[in-house]
Amino acid sequence: MTLQQIKGFSKLSKTEKINWLATEYFQNPEAGKEILTQYQNADEKLQKLHDEFSENSLSNFYLPFGIAPNFNINGKTYAIPMVIEESSVVAAACKAAKFWGDRGGFKTEVIGTEKIGQVHLSFNGSFTELEDFFKVVAPKLHEAIAELQQKMRKRGGGLTGLELRDKTQSLDGYFQVHARFQTADAMGANFINSCLEAFAEVLLFEASQYTHFKTPNPKLEVIMSILSNYVPNCVVRASVCCKISDLKATPNLTKLAYAQKFVQAVQIAKIEPYRAVTHNKGIMNGIDAVVLATGNDFRAIEACVHAYAAKDGTYSSLTHATIHNNEELEFWIEIPLALGTVGGLTSLHPMVKLALEILGNPSASELMEIIAVAGLAQNFGAVDSLITTGIQKGHMKMHLLNILNQFEASKKEKETLIAYFKNHNVSHSAVVNELNKLRS
Ligand code: MEV
């Protein structure tokens, strides 16, 4: 089948877009249209709000919004909202909250909140002459953003550093203005990008007026001005610690053996990238779920976290574990998180507003702490299962409902099979077999 290209799609009304899509792409156009319509909110105002977040919106895409209560973080109790489709993530968070809640809770510390932006420059002269120019122009760069920063300054943020960097060792003619910012409770992307574009304009204008370049026909070009999502100085630490005697013994492991196996599992993720990626993926199950619920940019968080995990030259674990004097198990995470609790979706999306309210309308720093804890808790749950029962037992129990829903099991069938699988191994084929038995 050759599909038609369409011109001016964005100018069509929503109904026209749906009709076109249904005719061109759906095997059953009416059924497709019904799904797209069904997933729209009946409240027109609410639907319009969502439609306007992005272009060519046709409908909504649901993900479960769940809660993991009873998190003790620095002595304060939180119920953590999580948006995630993967079964067992919220259950694991709840379990870890309970386990560590009974053992002193989670402790956190924000190590830094610095954000970065860069103006990428190309120049056909030397670093020294660009440096001389930069010294002259730097006060004008500050002046250029004075108005832009006024509100941010009142909130305790703003530009904190400007530096010219020579990058010609890696790329001919490449220099940068590396700018450091504090952005208070905002993620700060718009603020930073506006400042950088203002810098770029000043740099170009001042270069055109500057008469002291030594290079004949000097040419300073702005290649691009953009914030960096890599924020290695916007970092939070979350930790748990308990006496080995307070750990749970398992049928096959003494408490000390459990702690040793736990530490070994984390050490494997430190040195083995194949394991580290999966280990960190589990951490991101917890982190992304709260990042999404609170309307933050999960792509930025993901990109940054994985760069940070590779900062020492090999991709490694974001969590760490050690045993102190054969007496205490300490487990912690150190992770960069550039988050906002004002601006962006935070005041627009009703569910995001609600999620922030559930968290007590935290500052960006407090949200960093909560989200780091969600990541640590999730990793604890995963490693705990992996070194004891294995991951499939819990996973498949949670997956049971998905399989039953897939086969449109009735309420009665669900009750019967949930009871049956309390004592039997869940697998896709076992569930289908039992369901078929029931149905025949
Ligand atoms: C599954 O989504 C996440 C885990 O694979 C994480 C891990 O292996 O640590 C269970």
Side-chain angles (χ1 to χ4, degrees):
M1 179 173 64
T2 323
L3 293 168
Q4 291 298 312
Q5 295 248 337
I6 183 165
K7 281 210 176 91
F9 182 71
S10 65
K11 307 234 161 41
L12 300 181
S13 71
K14 191 199 270 189
T15 313
E16 287 167 334
K17 284 178 186 141
I18 292 179
N19 284 341
W20 175 82
L21 190 76
T23 326
E24 290 292 322
Y25 285 86
F26 297 157
Q27 281 185 352
N28 182 342
E30 286 315 308
K33 277 199 257 181
E34 200 182 315
I35 293 173
L36 287 173
T37 312
Q38 218 174 34
Y39 275 77
Q40 295 196 44
N41 204 292
D43 178 339
E44 277 180 29
K45 208 168 138 216
L46 190 64
Q47 186 53 52
K48 190 160 180 289
L49 175 81
H50 286 270
D51 287 347
E52 288 177 358
F53 288 149
S54 170
E55 302 78 19
N56 293 344
S57 290
L58 302 183
S59 190
N60 306 309
F61 187 97
Y62 293 163
L63 285 175
F65 177 95
I67 282 286
N70 303 327
F71 268 93
N72 172 346
I73 306 178
N74 303 326
K76 191 169 160 188
T77 304
Y78 292 87
I80 302 188
M82 301 179 89
V83 169
I84 186 141
E85 86 299 348
E86 184 174 327
S87 32
S88 85
V89 168
V90 176
C94 296
K95 212 170 141 197
K98 166 96 185 72
F99 182 88
W100 287 107
D102 295 343
R103 290 162 179 79
F106 294 82
K107 304 280 182 287
T108 63
E109 183 196 351
V110 172
I111 295 166
T113 54
E114 182 185 86
K115 314 278 169 59
I116 300 294
Q118 296 172 318
V119 182
H120 301 272
L121 301 170
S122 154
F123 180 56
N124 59 347
S126 71
F127 182 57
T128 333
E129 57 187 309
L130 197 58
E131 244 184 338
D132 290 341
F133 165 70
F134 188 70
K135 273 180 204 143
V136 175
V137 91
K140 294 186 178 153
L141 298 180
H142 284 271
E143 265 166 46
I145 61 159
E147 214 177 294
L148 266 174
Q149 336 196 51
Q150 232 172 37
K151 256 170 64 191
M152 188 56 91
R153 284 264 180 245
K154 280 197 188 126
R155 301 197 327 235
L159 179 72
T160 57
L162 264 184
E163 190 190 323
L164 182 73
R165 289 187 170 180
D166 183 357
K167 304 294 285 184
T168 51
Q169 274 190 342
S170 310
L171 187 65
D172 263 359
Y174 173 35
F175 302 89
Q176 11 166 282
V177 173
H178 188 89
R180 300 166 200 279
F181 298 88
Q182 288 292 335
T183 57
D185 287 332
M187 192 252 192
N190 278 333
F191 167 69
I192 293 175
N193 286 332
S194 301
C195 290
L196 297 172
E197 289 189 4
F199 294 156
E201 214 175 293
V202 173
L203 286 166
L204 287 181
F205 176 75
E206 293 299 327
S208 72
Q209 308 294 305
Y210 190 70
T211 50
H212 303 292
F213 286 126
K214 294 195 179 64
T215 313
N217 303 319
K219 196 163 172 237
L220 179 72
E221 259 187 291
V222 170
I223 305 299
M224 58 193 159
S225 313
I226 186 74
L227 95 160
S228 171
N229 287 120
Y230 186 48
V231 286
N233 294 320
C234 183
V235 171
V236 57
R237 185 185 198 274
S239 64
V240 285
C241 185
C242 77
K243 291 218 167 70
I244 302 236
S245 55
D246 288 341
L247 289 170
K248 278 191 194 143
T250 74
N252 304 318
L253 293 168
T254 64
K255 294 177 182 188
L256 181 61
Y258 171 92
Q260 285 164 337
K261 200 170 174 188
F262 191 95
V263 169
Q264 228 176 356
V266 176
Q267 277 167 346
I268 290 171
K270 274 176 175 269
I271 56 102
E272 168 54 63
Y274 280 98
R275 173 58 200 146
V277 170
T278 318
H279 180 93
N280 289 347
K281 186 274 182 188
I283 294 172
M284 298 316 285
N285 278 344
I287 289 189
D288 281 340
V290 194
V291 168
L292 266 171
T294 56
N296 275 282
D297 182 344
F298 61 92
R299 288 85 57 206
I301 298 290
E302 284 279 347
C304 178
V305 156
H306 299 298
Y308 192 78
K311 72 181 185 329
D312 297 325
T314 11
Y315 189 88
S316 180
S317 166
L318 292 159
T319 54
H320 316 269
T322 193
I323 294 173
H324 298 293
N325 305 323
N326 270 356
E327 272 177 11
E328 277 185 340
L329 172 68
E330 189 184 3
F331 177 46
W332 72 99
I333 187 168
E334 208 186 277
I335 190 166
L337 292 170
L339 300 166
T341 53
V342 298
L345 272 195
T346 56
S347 53
L348 287 177
H349 197 303
M351 293 299 284
V352 167
K353 277 202 260 182
L354 214 61
L356 289 168
E357 191 182 335
I358 294 166
L359 292 173
N361 292 316
S363 65
S365 291
E366 197 183 347
L367 188 59
M368 283 169 79
E369 297 174 303
I370 296 164
I371 293 183
V373 165
L376 186 69
Q378 204 56 227
N379 190 224
F380 173 75
V383 175
D384 172 64
S385 295
L386 287 167
I387 63 165
T388 55
T389 56
I391 212 75
Q392 279 312 88
K393 200 168 166 224
H395 261 214
M396 293 312 284
K397 279 255 148 74
M398 297 300 294
H399 196 46
L400 172 62
L401 214 57
N402 286 345
I403 304 171
L404 292 174
N405 282 336
Q406 191 190 339
F407 289 91
E408 297 184 354
S410 66
K411 191 164 172 256
K412 182 92 194 56
E413 286 170 335
K414 279 183 189 166
E415 279 167 10
T416 313
L417 290 179
I418 287 170
Y420 174 85
F421 280 106
K422 281 216 162 88
N423 306 313
H424 293 84
N425 282 342
V426 180
S427 71
H428 194 273
S429 54
V431 176
V432 175
N433 270 344
E434 288 309 311
L435 193 60
N436 285 341
K437 271 197 223 161
L438 266 188
R439 285 179 174 175
S440 59

